[in-house]
Amino acid sequence: MGGPYMNGKKLSGLLVAGVLAAGLAGCSSGSDDTATAGGDGSYTIGVANFTLGGPYFSGMDKAIAAEAKKKGKIEVISTDANGDAAKLASNVEDLLSKNVDAVIISGGPLESAPAALNAIKTAGKPVVLVDRKFQTGEYTSWIGPDNEAIGRQNGEFLAQKLPDGGKVAIIKGGPADNSIGLARTNGVKSVLQSKTGITLVEAPDFGNWGSDGGLTVMESLLATDSDLKAVFCENDAMCLGAQRAIADAGKSDQIIIAGVDGQAEALKAILDGTNYLVTGLNDADVIGAMGLDRAVEILGGAQVEKDTVVPSPMITKENAAKYQNPDGSF
């Protein structure tokens, strides 16, 4: 089924030069000899997922597979480390033992993966990082968002919606050193801390990037700060849980919600006119497909950008429909 390139909705405004270049080779022979540019255009690409435990990361994995299928000749071998860094490294070693032509790493909340990156470098294979850029180690190319910019635009939106001020809660995914979450929250803070009348309330517990966690953390926030006017979550999944807790408390008319990612359920909530008012696009379908395309470009001999920042437009009720993707996985 089509990835985001099939119907083009989530790609509106997101086309990055070279991503849709025609005639790019695809995929893997699976033979003992690494395919080279000028061959039959078939490659095997390994996908090393730090975790598939969440809609964003499972969506990324499915989008990579869908884009490979669309190209027609690419074989994808996908692995799941279940949140274990040592397992990620062993999965990469296993992929390399299968003589994959390139590796895509979806690192989730992992900050660094030296063993995995070193193994890929030693094997002389290209590695494409999607969404997560590790803090250390060598990689061939990275594709992902500017997370602080997403936070800033959410902060500006909330400031406009709260001209008289009020308490704004922040729900973080965790762990404490997660640079993606920190960048998003720091972006929001950089705007709202300077606004007269706005008070920030950071939840002491992490929502662990999931809906259930968001619900639990929001319930605790409502018990201590019942007069909240808004909540920002570091991803949509937590905000969807927070929205349930707000509804259960009878405060849907009091508290507005701002998230990040562009998850399908969040887009629906925004379009339906609920108290979920805004998100910033960081779409797993888009980035996963772009990551697969980038790996194929590299294997085909193309000179590619080291780092590609994917635009993250603000999504509100006015424009949410064009970002819906019924064929997507996220």
Side-chain angles (χ1 to χ4, degrees):
M1 300 294 288
Y5 298 156
M6 187 66 72
N7 64 27
K9 284 194 174 182
K10 282 187 177 175
L11 266 189
S12 298
L14 290 179
L15 302 185
V16 177
V19 171
L20 297 182
L24 291 178
C27 92
S28 152
S29 60
S31 67
D32 290 335
D33 296 322
T34 301
T36 57
D40 66 356
S42 63
Y43 303 108
T44 298
I45 295 176
V47 182
N49 294 290
F50 178 62
T51 176
L52 292 178
Y56 186 87
F57 305 119
S58 62
M60 183 82 70
D61 187 64
K62 291 172 184 175
I64 291 168
E67 187 72 358
K69 185 176 181 181
K70 177 183 168 187
K71 287 184 177 296
K73 299 173 71 176
I74 300 175
E75 179 186 353
V76 169
I77 304 174
S78 178
T79 63
D80 179 10
N82 293 303
D84 184 331
K87 178 62 173 171
L88 180 77
S90 67
N91 285 347
V92 166
E93 293 279 8
D94 185 55
L95 290 169
L96 293 171
S97 75
K98 294 179 167 63
N99 204 33
V100 296
D101 298 300
V103 178
I104 296 172
I105 298 181
S106 173
L110 189 65
E111 286 295 311
S112 62
L117 291 179
N118 288 339
I120 297 167
K121 180 182 178 182
T122 299
K125 308 289 186 178
V127 56
V128 176
L129 308 180
V130 288
D131 183 52
R132 160 68 71 183
K133 185 198 292 187
F134 294 129
Q135 293 189 335
T136 59
E138 295 182 34
Y139 59 93
T140 312
S141 191
W142 163 79
I143 297 172
D146 181 338
N147 287 293
E148 189 163 347
I150 299 173
R152 286 196 301 271
Q153 70 187 15
N154 271 5
E156 294 288 359
F157 180 91
L158 290 174
Q160 291 173 6
K161 291 294 181 181
L162 300 172
D164 298 325
K167 287 184 180 179
V168 178
I170 295 175
I171 298 179
K172 297 175 287 187
D177 66 347
N178 188 309
S179 59
I180 285 178
L182 286 170
R184 294 174 181 178
T185 287
N186 288 340
V188 169
K189 285 179 169 181
S190 70
V191 175
L192 295 184
Q193 281 176 335
S194 64
K195 302 297 182 182
T196 303
I198 288 182
T199 303
L200 297 179
V201 180
E202 285 193 42
D205 299 320
F206 295 124
N208 296 314
W209 302 99
S211 179
D212 289 345
L215 184 147
T216 300
V217 172
M218 192 70 229
E219 287 175 340
S220 297
L221 283 167
L222 289 168
T224 57
D225 294 273
S226 62
D227 56 343
L228 289 169
K229 296 295 184 183
V231 58
F232 164 77
C233 312
E234 289 179 346
N235 76 341
D236 283 330
M238 291 188 294
C239 265
L240 289 163
Q243 186 178 39
R244 297 206 314 272
I246 292 167
D248 290 345
K251 294 184 179 293
S252 297
D253 291 337
Q254 171 187 314
I255 302 173
I256 60 175
I257 298 170
V260 181
D261 279 343
Q263 188 173 336
E265 293 85 351
L267 297 185
K268 183 179 187 305
I270 291 170
L271 277 172
D272 285 349
T274 70
N275 58 328
Y276 207 129
L277 298 189
V278 66
T279 189
L281 188 66
N282 175 41
D283 190 79
D285 287 332
V286 171
I287 293 176
M290 289 176 67
L292 189 283
D293 286 347
R294 177 61 52 85
V296 173
E297 288 180 84
I298 293 165
L299 290 169
Q303 294 295 312
V304 301
E305 287 185 316
K306 176 78 169 179
D307 295 329
T308 296
V309 176
V310 181
S312 300
M314 185 169 68
I315 301 175
T316 64
K317 188 174 182 180
E318 286 69 36
N319 65 352
K322 76 177 183 177
Y323 294 105
Q324 286 189 309
N325 179 9
D327 295 325
S329 302
F330 174 64

